[in-house]
Amino acid sequence: MTLAFTICSVNYLAQARTLGDSLRRTNPDWTYIIGLVDDLAAANLSADLIPDFPMIEVAKIGIPDFEAMCDRYDITELNTAVKPFFIDYFYESSPQYDKVIYFDPDIIVFQPLTRLENHLDTYSMVLTPHTCAPTPDWERPNEQHHLGTGIFNLGFIGLNNSTEARTFVNWWKERLVYECRIDLCAGLFVDQHWVNFAPVYHQNVWIEKHRGYNVAYWNLHERQASLSGETWMINGDEPLQFFHFSGYDPYKPDEISKYQTRYTFVGDAPERQRSDMRPLFEIYRTSLLANHNDRYRKYPCVYIKPPKVMRYKRVRRLLNAPIHKLIALLEERK
C-alpha cells in the first residue's frame, strides 16, 4: 500500500488541494494526506475551505521541542524541517503502508506512478536530481546555483518502509532540528544538502533520471513538452509523470518562476520562449484559482512569529557581513 503526503501551511492549501485532485485522478488507490504546519482552530476556516482530504496538524505528531523549532525557522524552513518527522510518524502510526512518498504542494501528477512504486519494491528510496544534463548558460539557475541548493530536489522523495529507509529518516531528523536553514554561506539550503549524503551512506538508493519526473524550471533546458492525444510527453518519448510549479504565481501568468531568468512566455528572443510549456501552466493556474488560492494566501501561519524571524535574519546578516566584505575586496582587485 502507498501513502502520499504533502506539507504546507493554510496559505498553501490551494496547492495542496490541486495536488490531491491530481493524485485522485491518476493514482486513486493511494492514500493522500496533508501535513498541516498550522492550527485549524486558530485559522477557523469556513466549510468551503476545508479540503476534501485528511489533514494532520503538525502539533499532533509529537516533534520534540517543536516550539523551539518555530522560534528558529521562518515559514519555508519550518515546513521543510518537519518533513522527516512526518515520514517517521507515518512509519509508526500507519505500518500498513510499505511506501511513503512526499510531494511539495505545488506539484501536479499526470500519470499513474507505477514506475515509482516498482522502484520502491527494490530500493529504499528514490531521489530526483535537479538536472540530468549541463545547464546551457549562466542564467539562473545554473550549475553553480545547484551547488548552493543541493544536487537533489527534495520537493519529491519516495521511501519504502525498510530498516535502511528508517535509518536514513532518523539521521535526517537529527540534522533538521537545528540545521534546516537557508544559509548558503554555511553550506545550508533547508533539507536538500543533507540528502546529498544519501547515495553515499546507503547502498539502496535509486537516482531517477526519467525526464518525466519532477519537471520544473531548473531542468527545462533539457525537457520539451508536447501533447500526444491526451498524454503530455517530455522530449517526445517519455510521458510526463509530475510537474513541479515551483515559484509560479498565478497572478503573474507570464512568468514561469520567480526563481529563474532563463525562459519566459513573453518577449522577442525565440531561444527563451517556452510556448510548449504554457498550456501546462494554464492548467495549473486554473486549478489553483478554482481551489480558492485568492482566499487561502491571506492566512498567516500561526507558528511563525515575525519579530523573532526578523531578529534571526539580522543575526545572520551580521555573521555573514565579514564574508561579503571579503568578497567585495577580492572583486575590487580583479
Side-chain angles (χ1 to χ4, degrees):
M1 296 176 64
T2 301
L3 184 151
F5 78 104
T6 194
I7 296 170
C8 68
S9 300
V10 169
N11 67 322
Y12 248 60
L13 278 176
Q15 286 83 351
R17 290 176 71 161
T18 299
L19 168 61
D21 292 340
S22 72
L23 283 168
R24 184 174 280 166
R25 288 191 301 270
T26 58
N27 295 268
D29 55 331
W30 289 16
T31 296
Y32 172 65
I33 294 174
I34 298 171
L36 191 70
V37 183
D38 228 322
D39 186 287
L40 286 173
N44 192 27
L45 298 176
S46 59
D48 61 328
L49 292 183
I50 302 295
D52 186 24
F53 301 103
M55 291 188 288
I56 298 177
E57 295 166 275
V58 67
K60 298 180 179 178
I61 69 170
I63 298 177
D65 206 10
F66 176 65
E67 185 175 346
M69 291 176 69
C70 296
D71 288 340
R72 276 193 291 278
Y73 292 146
D74 67 21
I75 190 169
T76 301
E77 293 166 336
L78 184 64
N79 273 270
T80 310
V82 301
K83 191 182 302 176
F85 292 92
F86 268 103
I87 295 170
D88 186 55
Y89 172 80
F90 294 131
Y91 281 154
E92 297 301 324
S93 66
S94 306
Q96 69 272 27
Y97 295 104
D98 59 345
K99 302 175 181 71
V100 177
I101 299 166
Y102 170 80
F103 295 102
D104 268 0
D106 50 359
I107 283 174
I108 287 185
V109 177
F110 285 88
Q111 290 289 327
L113 298 178
T114 52
R115 175 185 172 97
L116 172 57
E117 288 193 295
N118 290 339
H119 276 124
L120 289 175
D121 285 335
T122 303
Y123 296 93
S124 61
M125 69 189 85
V126 175
L127 300 170
T128 51
H130 277 106
T131 179
C132 298
T135 51
D137 51 46
W138 290 100
E139 294 292 331
R140 190 173 76 241
N142 54 58
E143 287 148 346
Q144 188 172 356
H145 291 100
H146 296 319
L147 288 175
T149 59
I151 298 301
F152 303 105
N153 178 258
L154 268 294
F156 157 80
I157 184 171
L159 305 105
N160 62 21
N161 192 351
S162 64
T163 299
E164 188 172 39
R166 284 173 173 257
T167 299
F168 164 75
V169 168
N170 286 330
W171 173 88
W172 201 18
K173 283 165 51 182
E174 291 177 1
R175 271 65 188 168
L176 299 193
V177 170
Y178 288 96
E179 304 300 338
C180 190
R181 297 177 285 118
I182 300 174
D183 189 349
L184 299 186
C185 290
L188 295 173
F189 188 78
V190 290
D191 61 338
Q192 293 191 160
H193 275 300
W194 295 111
V195 182
N196 290 347
F197 291 103
V200 180
Y201 291 168
H202 301 282
Q203 300 297 321
N204 214 23
V205 179
W206 177 258
I207 298 175
E208 181 56 81
K209 297 183 181 181
H210 186 292
R211 295 304 202 269
Y213 274 64
N214 213 358
V215 182
Y217 72 82
W218 50 77
N219 54 40
L220 293 187
H221 65 283
E222 62 187 43
R223 309 184 194 202
Q224 294 283 330
S226 60
L227 194 59
S228 176
E230 296 183 356
T231 301
W232 281 99
M233 304 294 292
I234 299 299
N235 298 342
D237 58 1
E238 294 182 302
L240 171 58
Q241 304 294 300
F242 57 94
F243 200 107
H244 193 164
F245 296 89
S246 177
Y248 175 69
D249 184 346
Y251 306 101
K252 297 179 181 178
D254 289 333
E255 296 182 11
I256 290 174
S257 171
K258 64 183 178 182
Y259 302 125
Q260 69 91 43
T261 61
R262 182 169 290 114
Y263 297 117
T264 181
F265 292 135
V266 296
D268 299 325
E271 69 276 8
R272 299 188 64 221
Q273 290 286 339
R274 293 308 302 262
S275 58
D276 61 312
M277 295 287 175
R278 185 147 203 168
L280 291 166
F281 282 78
E282 285 300 316
I283 291 169
Y284 191 54
R285 181 174 185 270
T286 300
S287 299
L288 288 184
L289 297 180
N291 277 324
H292 309 296
N293 185 70
D294 57 332
R295 296 166 66 189
Y296 285 126
R297 65 201 295 261
K298 298 175 183 177
Y299 283 83
C301 176
V302 70
Y303 293 116
I304 300 303
K305 306 171 182 65
K308 293 186 178 182
V309 170
M310 292 306 297
R311 184 166 65 252
Y312 269 85
K313 287 184 177 179
R314 288 198 299 270
V315 171
R316 289 180 196 175
R317 280 199 296 268
L318 288 171
L319 291 173
N320 292 336
I323 297 173
H324 295 315
K325 288 180 180 178
L326 176 61
I327 291 171
L329 287 171
L330 292 172
E331 289 293 330
E332 289 174 2
R333 295 178 181 178
K334 287 184 177 179

